């Protein structure tokens, strides 16, 4: 009985707070499962501010699941360019095709159907079905995980082992009978706006009276800090291979591990002790079959990929002999600089292409 009373209080306090304090976000104007699904996929690992322009552009291009299913993968990747974690886009696209082929394009109120779709884990399933159909299904992501751990005073790590099981059970236990979708969003919103990783604003929190971390002054230690992987430095060379005014752009294979089916100028890790220009000649030959004459250094780009801190030095080189032949790339095209923006590329590669376009304009 005591537990139930606590839940009713939580529900009342949190939903009341959410009704007056929630941000007016584009995906909150709808209960349509397709739009909610797109937003939730985009929001995984990405901030709200970064997602907003992508969400509008994506829905303008693909207003329905049928439109998305009928699209070419290159179109989908191009619209996702800059948002990162491109596997999400490929999964979304594949899942849309599956729903159109097997369920006549319906997004059903059925967890079993959703669980079979590529890229749909417990979070996406709970987020879409609770918001679109008011299904009583929990969600756990970084914000709600932090709120729940503090609220219950959970001392272990809710991201690992039995902590993971604990946090999902906790998320389920606090769900109200009605407005489960709003309640899930309210937990996330509270984590984003009030119960922040450092210095949570407990004095503004609707859960302050029942929160164990607040009562015991444990906000700084619950949850424990995320274990950071050791960072490895990597030096790479990227080659802008020219044939007159045209540049060689290559498409990565569909089993590339990352940036699958996206385009790029050839790049690879440098061998320790190898001179930069020797790397240019070697990598060009190895990845494109072309013999090149290195030219000027264009740009150095520093970026991170998972636990790797990459320094990519980009060099121009003229193709002097051979035809494109690669054991790695799926295909290649010789393009004018103005055409480079038509192809989906990773963020570091887009930086390079913007630089090439700017330089091109000067001459
Ligand atoms: S009282 Fe403080 S620690 Fe507890 S949920 Fe609210 S903001 Fe977080």
């Amino acid at each position: 009985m005591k537990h139930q009373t606590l839940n009713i209080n939580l529900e009342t306090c949190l939903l009341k707070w959410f009704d007056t304090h929630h941000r007016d976000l584009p995906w909150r104007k709808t209960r349509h499962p397709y739009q909610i699904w797109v937003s939730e996929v985009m929001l995984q690992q990405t901030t709200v501010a970064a997602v907003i322009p992508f969400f509008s552009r994506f829905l303008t291009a693909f207003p329905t699941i049928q439109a998305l299913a009928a699209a070419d993968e290159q179109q989908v990747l191009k619209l996702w360019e800059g948002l990162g974690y491109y596997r999400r886009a490929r999964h979304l696209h594949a899942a849309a095709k599956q729903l159109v082929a097997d369920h006549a394009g319906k997004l059903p109120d059925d967890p079993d159907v959703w669980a079979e779709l590529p890229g749909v884990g417990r979070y996406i399933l709970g987020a879409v079905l609770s918001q679109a159909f008011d299904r009583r299904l929990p969600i756990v992501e970084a914000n709600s995980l932090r709120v729940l751990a503090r609220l219950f005073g959970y001392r272990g790590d809710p991201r690992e082992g039995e902590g993971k099981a604990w946090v999902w059970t906790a998320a389920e236990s606090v769900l109200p009978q009605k407005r489960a979708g709003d309640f899930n969003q309210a937990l996330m919103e509270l984590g984003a706006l009030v119960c922040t990783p450092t210095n949570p604003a407990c004095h503004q929190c609707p859960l302050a009276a029942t929160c164990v971390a607040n009562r015991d002054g444990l906000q700084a230690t619950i949850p424990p800090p995320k274990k950071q992987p050791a960072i490895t430095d990597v030096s790479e060379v990227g080659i802008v291979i020219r044939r007159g005014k045209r540049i060689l752009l290559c498409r990565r294979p569909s089993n590339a591990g990352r940036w699958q089916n996206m385009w790029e100028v050839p790049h690879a890790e440098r061998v320790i002790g190898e001179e930069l220009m020797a790397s240019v000649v070697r990598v060009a030959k190895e990845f494109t079959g072309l013999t090149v004459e290195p030219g000027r250094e264009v740009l150095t780009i520093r970026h991170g990929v998972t636990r790797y801190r990459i320094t990519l030095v980009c060099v121009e080189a003229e193709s002097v002999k051979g035809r494109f032949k690669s054991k790695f790339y799926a295909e290649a095209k010789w393009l004018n600089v103005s055409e480079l923006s038509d192809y989906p590329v990773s963020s570091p590669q887009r930086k390079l292409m913007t630089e090439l376009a700017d330089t091109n304009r000067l001459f």
Side-chain angles (χ1 to χ4, degrees), residues 152-174:
F152 286 94
Y154 185 75
R155 312 291 176 104
D157 189 341
R159 305 173 196 93
E160 290 188 3
E162 60 186 34
K164 256 190 196 173
W166 174 85
V167 77
W168 277 100
T169 306
E172 198 162 10
S173 76
V174 294

Side-chain angles (χ1 to χ4, degrees), residues 263-284:
W263 295 75
E264 62 185 25
V265 304
H267 65 103
E269 199 172 335
R270 289 174 64 186
V271 174
I272 295 169
E274 188 178 43
E275 290 286 329
L276 176 63
M277 296 310 171
S279 302
V280 171
V281 173
R282 176 182 60 79
V283 170

Side-chain angles (χ1 to χ4, degrees), residues 146-152 187 190-191 193-196 199-215 218-220 222:
R146 188 170 55 254
V147 173
L148 289 165
R150 286 174 175 167
L151 180 65
F152 286 94
L187 269 182
L190 190 74
L193 301 181
V194 177
C195 192
T196 47
N199 302 322
C202 300
H203 59 287
Q204 295 172 3
C205 179
L207 309 182
T210 37
C211 175
V212 174
N214 183 42
R215 183 195 68 198
L218 295 172
Q219 296 94 327
I222 296 180

Side-chain angles (χ1 to χ4, degrees), residues 27 39 42-44 46-56 83:
W27 44 90
S39 73
M42 286 186 169
L43 285 163
Q44 285 189 307
T46 311
T47 63
V48 163
V51 165
I52 289 173
F54 282 89
F55 177 74
S56 310
L83 203 53

Side-chain angles (χ1 to χ4, degrees), residues 324-337:
F324 173 80
K325 195 174 173 197
S326 180
K327 284 190 183 142
F328 177 70
Y329 288 114
E331 61 175 317
K333 290 183 181 184
W334 291 99
L335 300 169
N336 288 318
V337 171

Side-chain angles (χ1 to χ4, degrees), residues 108-121:
D109 178 14
D110 183 347
D112 292 339
V113 171
W114 282 86
E116 293 297 314
L117 297 174
V120 174

Side-chain angles (χ1 to χ4, degrees), residues 18-30:
F18 183 68
D19 288 342
T20 47
H21 291 85
H22 71 266
R23 288 168 291 177
D24 187 20
L25 302 173
W27 44 90
R28 290 199 173 136
K29 299 185 196 316
T30 177

